[in-house]
Amino acid sequence: MLALRLTRAARLAVQLRRLLVAVASAGTGFLLLCALGHALTHPEAPGASALRLAWCAAPLAATVYLAVAVARTDPGTRPRPGLSAIGLGPGRLMAVSATTTALSAALGSVAALLVFLQLRGDLTGAPADGAMTEALALGQRLPAPAVVTLLTLVPAAASAAVALNLRPRAPRPAPSAGSRRYGRFGAYGWGAARETFGTYGRYGARLAPASSASASASASASASASASASASAQLADGRAAGAAPVGGGGTLLTQASDTPPPATADGTPATPDAVPDPTATPRPHTTTLPWGIAVLTAGLAVETYAGDTATPSTTPSAAVLAGWALTALGLALAGPGLTHLCGRLLQAVRPGALRLLAGRVLMEESHRIGRPLGVVCSVASAAYAAAALYDADGPDFGPLSTLGALVVAGCAVATLLTAAVEAKHDRTDTTDALLRLGAPPATLRAAAAVRAGALLALFGPLTLIVAQLASLPLAR
């Protein structure tokens, strides 16, 4: 009930994004039903029907990806202060978002069933004729369990993906200052950082202020009470200053310390060891770039192998599907790293304010728009390869193939636009601060144009190269 109320009270832009999810779900559901109809019409060719069903995985993945992007930008399900007091914590909001996504996808599945039944003639009695008749299973009864299973596949997958991506993640607890931590062998204490090689040799710098006091204490050894008092004073001063404590006779009591060593005369730290700041902003995730290149190379190799064994008169094999899937995954993994690299290149060679602003924004948003850019790049390269496969001498690009291509391409472009809108909303405070400081709005628009041009200059040639490499084995 709460999900329905939030759906009704949403703004127009949110409703349009949910409508896109419903349309994509309808297209994917219709393709799944057509695969079922082909299996009913051709019971003697289960392999071809299974291959058609396997090719439905591409629009299914694109629809789920779009549903996750739409759920992330939904303002009605974002955690806000005070909602936990009325029972709307992060877990409850995640469940509401998953339910809303399931409702949108279920609406599309129902629309796909109605269109399929309309084309079969079950609603009006006049079946459609044309190239799709073999996929409609005319004159045959549809198995209800199979229809329900195929139609619930998209809502279930979309809601599960949304729940997985929006699940509440508890922050990693910081180590308490009073917990006992072990340093090197034989040392114990309450330090937050482990001692590295050579730390023992640097304890002399920490004991320098206490060495004179220790010498005076040993010189006045006439009274044992005063010596013990001096030793206890040294121990208290050493612990208060963050240095290693010193016992009677100058014995070093090794204890890991939280305080860094004092600086030298020139202002540099006395030791290269530094405790990382837990409040520092983490760097963007660019470590997936080599993995993306490796997966992309594997996908191109699989497509090359599939092109050597494919025939131009049949449907592309499962090896072609696997190669395209690996290529898309590789470009999606490499997208954030390439976007971050593009931002760094914009700031190279004495940048001005415009290039510096555009490059910084690209580096900060690389983890948000990098993967949708990689997916769009993979879809464009796959479209080029499909155009090379379905040429004048090859098979016809039928209506079902056109529908599948439109669903995949539309979901990829819509996901990229949704991620761009989310990134724009997240940097609203930064934009307002720049405007208050006197930055002209034309400069901000010029920075956005520079970012778009830089991304196009990087991903455009990459798309053409991948598309050419993917289409070469298929066009032979």
Side-chain angles (χ1 to χ4, degrees), residues 99-469:
T99 305
T100 305
T101 303
L103 290 176
S104 302
L107 178 62
S109 298
V110 172
L113 178 61
L114 293 178
V115 173
F116 188 76
L117 294 178
Q118 174 70 24
L119 293 178
R120 278 173 49 89
D122 295 339
L123 300 180
T124 59
D129 54 352
M132 293 180 54
T133 53
E134 66 174 6
L136 297 177
L138 299 178
Q140 299 187 24
R141 184 178 180 181
L142 294 176
V147 173
V148 173
T149 301
L150 292 177
L151 290 181
T152 56
L153 184 60
V154 179
S159 60
V162 169
L164 182 63
N165 282 268
L166 300 184
R167 68 187 187 276
R169 297 177 176 87
R172 184 174 298 179
S176 59
S179 60
R180 188 172 179 175
R181 299 276 176 159
Y182 291 91
R184 67 178 186 279
F185 180 76
Y188 65 93
W190 294 267
R194 292 177 61 93
E195 296 178 351
T196 57
F197 178 78
T199 307
Y200 183 83
R202 292 192 293 269
Y203 269 96
R206 303 185 182 186
L207 294 179
S211 59
S212 59
S214 177
S216 61
S218 59
S220 58
S222 56
S224 58
S226 60
S228 59
S230 175
S232 60
Q234 293 170 7
L235 178 60
D237 294 339
R239 289 180 178 176
V246 181
T251 305
L252 178 63
L253 302 180
T254 57
Q255 179 180 0
S257 176
D258 293 335
T259 306
T264 56
D266 56 354
T268 59
T271 172
D273 298 336
V275 179
D277 186 8
T279 62
T281 304
R283 296 183 59 184
H285 299 284
T286 58
T287 57
T288 57
L289 179 58
W291 292 101
I293 295 175
V295 175
L296 174 62
T297 306
L300 294 176
V302 172
E303 290 183 16
T304 304
Y305 171 76
D308 294 337
T309 58
T311 57
S313 59
T314 59
T315 305
S317 61
V320 177
L321 175 61
W324 284 359
L326 288 176
T327 302
L329 179 60
L331 288 174
L333 290 176
L338 292 176
T339 307
H340 191 271
L341 177 63
C342 185
R344 282 191 174 274
L345 292 178
L346 275 179
Q347 303 174 70
V349 193
R350 302 180 64 181
L354 185 62
R355 284 198 298 144
L356 188 63
L357 178 60
R360 288 293 183 180
V361 171
L362 277 183
M363 291 175 61
E364 290 296 328
E365 297 177 354
S366 60
H367 64 285
R368 181 177 289 111
I369 66 174
R371 289 186 179 179
L373 275 174
V375 172
V376 170
C377 180
S378 64
V379 169
S381 61
Y384 185 90
L389 178 63
Y390 291 93
D391 54 1
D393 300 331
D396 296 332
F397 204 74
L400 295 180
S401 301
T402 304
L403 178 60
L406 288 178
V407 169
V408 173
C411 289
V413 175
T415 304
L416 177 60
L417 295 178
T418 304
V421 170
E422 180 187 5
K424 181 180 179 181
H425 288 169
D426 287 346
R427 65 171 184 270
T428 302
D429 297 337
T430 304
T431 303
D432 295 341
L434 290 175
L435 292 177
R436 287 194 302 267
L437 289 175
T443 302
L444 301 181
R445 291 192 294 267
V450 169
R451 293 196 302 270
L455 292 176
L456 184 60
L458 179 63
F459 282 91
L462 176 64
T463 303
L464 294 178
I465 292 174
V466 174
Q468 189 66 26
L469 292 176

Side-chain angles (χ1 to χ4, degrees), residues 30-48:
F30 185 79
L31 291 175
L32 291 172
L33 292 177
C34 288
L36 175 63
H38 185 274
L40 294 176
T41 307
H42 302 278
E44 72 282 353

